[in-house]
Amino acid sequence: MTSQTTSNATAKDICHAIMARHRFLITSHARPDGDSIGSQLAMAYALEALGKEVRIVNADPAPEHYLEFPGVDRIEVGLEVLERDYDALIVMESSDFRRTGVSGLEGRFTINIDHHQGNTAYGDLNWLDESAAACGELVFELIQAMEVPLTLEIVTHIYLAILTDTGSFHHSNITPRTFAICRECVEAGVNPAAMARRVFDSNSFGKLKLIGALLDEMELRDEGRLAVLYLNDEILNATGTTYNDTEGLINLPLTAREIMAVAFFKLGADGDVRISLRSKYDVDVRAVASRYGGGGHKNASGFTVRGPLEAVREPIITEIEAAIAAGLQSKP
Ligand code: 5GP
Ligand code: MN
């Protein structure tokens, strides 16, 4: 389903559904990122401002550098919800229902809010807008439709969602609406410099060592247009870091002028290989991910395959090289 689909709900439809209900459960995709954390918490604060009851449940904990943001400590981490005592489930930026990684959520009135291409429209209400740079943009519109005043907590989370999901204003999905919303966030009290420091400059020394180790082993392919990174337990142990510390590192090779795409292969103990892709300009890595059952956006996508790495790596790299060749034709 795309944003053009006629059954697509509007902010107003969702606003009506919310006003008629009292208790809400909010969730998002597993391994939450800044957009999922920000979208869920901005929504939670707005619903509570309306006197609603809200619970947030995620399959995985928030990345460590988000823990000090308001309300992150109230997100429950669990793989199953047994209670059925809520009137509506709100799922933020999860392109299919299973990506929440939380079971027991089926069969409740479900509101699906997302900006990923290829969302399967699993909700009773589906608000799908691929033109949004972050799910947080849609949440902002919804909060305005609900006429909730913009508190510092709300705008902090909206700004967090946008700052992180645009790759700190690097991705190609940024529009005038993005800046209009950021402007309102700053007018309501967000300090952009402080936010950028909190999100991007709060690494541990271990993470700096991890950056060194990953870049040391980085491979260049496609005449230097594609960077390939590898993560395994040895590197994590040697640098005293965990999987959580890898957040954002995939973007580093893109700071080299020649590099048009990055593939980050992360080897799990269970034999699964998780692959994250990033790209510049019109190089479409979502198309590559979707051929392997994953998804995301043109410039940021991901998927998981069964290992071993050696068996899967070359066909994936060949597909990315083809995406680079196609995308470079329209480089601005
Ligand atoms: P990341 O590489 O940071 O995990 O994900 C980058 C983007 O791709 C995010 O928008 C994320 O939601 C999306 N993505 C990552 N993995 C998957 C996946 O397995 N399936 C789908 N549909 N999207 C994914
Ligand atoms: Mn997002």
Side-chain angles (χ1 to χ4, degrees):
M1 178 175 273
T2 71
S3 51
Q4 281 78 46
T5 311
T6 48
S7 61
N8 211 358
T10 63
K12 216 168 159 195
D13 300 330
I14 294 179
C15 181
H16 285 145
I18 285 171
M19 293 307 172
R21 291 171 172 82
H22 183 63
R23 282 175 300 185
F24 294 85
L25 187 81
I26 302 179
T27 192
S28 184
H29 57 76
R31 293 184 309 273
D33 57 12
D35 192 18
S36 12
I37 300 292
S39 295
Q40 293 179 100
L41 280 166
M43 192 65 199
Y45 280 113
L47 290 173
E48 283 170 353
L50 292 168
K52 313 286 184 191
E53 284 176 35
V54 183
R55 203 180 148 193
I56 310 176
V57 180
N58 288 180
D60 297 295
E64 211 174 288
H65 52 288
Y66 298 140
L67 295 182
E68 284 172 17
F69 279 87
V72 175
D73 55 353
R74 61 177 283 184
I75 300 177
E76 299 169 51
V77 178
L79 297 176
E80 187 172 25
V81 173
L82 296 172
E83 301 79 14
R84 311 278 289 167
D85 58 351
Y86 53 94
D87 310 315
L89 171 70
I90 303 179
V91 187
M92 296 290 181
E93 72 146 9
S94 196
S95 41
D96 67 72
F97 200 59
R98 286 225 318 265
R99 272 204 88 212
T100 60
V102 180
S103 63
L105 302 177
E106 298 79 7
R108 310 303 289 171
F109 183 83
T110 298
I111 299 171
N112 168 14
I113 304 177
D114 191 17
H115 70 134
H116 290 94
Q117 199 182 329
N119 186 293
T120 57
Y122 49 81
D124 296 282
L125 283 177
N126 302 286
W127 185 19
L128 311 174
D129 183 351
E130 290 162 24
S131 72
C135 189
E137 285 191 3
L138 304 177
V139 175
F140 183 88
E141 247 180 71
L142 181 55
I143 288 172
Q144 293 214 305
M146 299 192 302
E147 296 180 8
V148 172
L150 296 177
T151 62
L152 187 57
E153 285 87 2
I154 289 175
V155 290
T156 295
H157 280 292
I158 297 291
Y159 192 89
L160 172 68
I162 293 174
L163 180 65
T164 55
D165 239 37
T166 57
S168 74
F169 302 103
H170 279 61
H171 295 166
S172 55
N173 51 0
I174 299 163
T175 64
R177 166 168 70 168
T178 313
F179 287 105
I181 295 172
C182 288
R183 177 195 170 133
E184 296 216 39
C185 291
V186 174
E187 280 174 348
V190 163
N191 176 337
M195 288 290 286
R197 294 284 175 207
R198 280 174 84 178
V199 173
F200 300 110
D201 297 347
S202 58
N203 289 339
S204 62
F205 286 121
K207 186 160 174 178
L208 281 186
K209 284 196 211 161
L210 177 63
I211 292 171
L214 286 175
L215 293 182
D216 211 36
E217 295 195 10
M218 177 175 82
E219 280 174 19
L220 289 177
R221 304 286 296 261
D222 197 21
E223 296 170 18
R225 287 186 286 264
L226 171 62
V228 187
L229 300 173
Y230 300 97
L231 182 79
N232 51 42
D233 284 346
E234 279 160 43
I235 294 184
L236 293 177
N237 292 337
T239 53
T241 52
T242 66
Y243 189 90
N244 247 341
D245 290 307
T246 62
E247 235 237 4
L249 300 193
I250 186 173
N251 295 310
L252 288 171
L254 288 181
T255 61
R257 192 200 315 260
E258 298 79 4
I259 293 179
M260 292 297 141
V262 186
F264 192 0
F265 290 86
K266 292 167 263 189
L267 310 188
D270 53 5
D272 276 356
V273 185
R274 166 134 196 92
I275 296 118
S276 287
L277 303 176
R278 297 290 184 275
S279 64
K280 287 176 181 166
Y281 307 113
D282 273 343
V283 175
D284 183 1
V285 289
R286 193 202 74 87
V288 177
S290 68
R291 279 197 285 280
Y292 288 91
H297 310 280
K298 184 167 74 181
N299 293 142
S301 68
F303 59 100
T304 302
V305 292
R306 276 310 285 170
L309 174 69
E310 296 67 35
V312 294
R313 178 177 49 188
E314 289 310 314
I316 294 171
I317 286 178
T318 304
E319 294 221 30
I320 303 169
E321 288 176 354
I324 291 173
L328 280 189
Q329 287 167 6
S330 55
K331 178 172 176 267

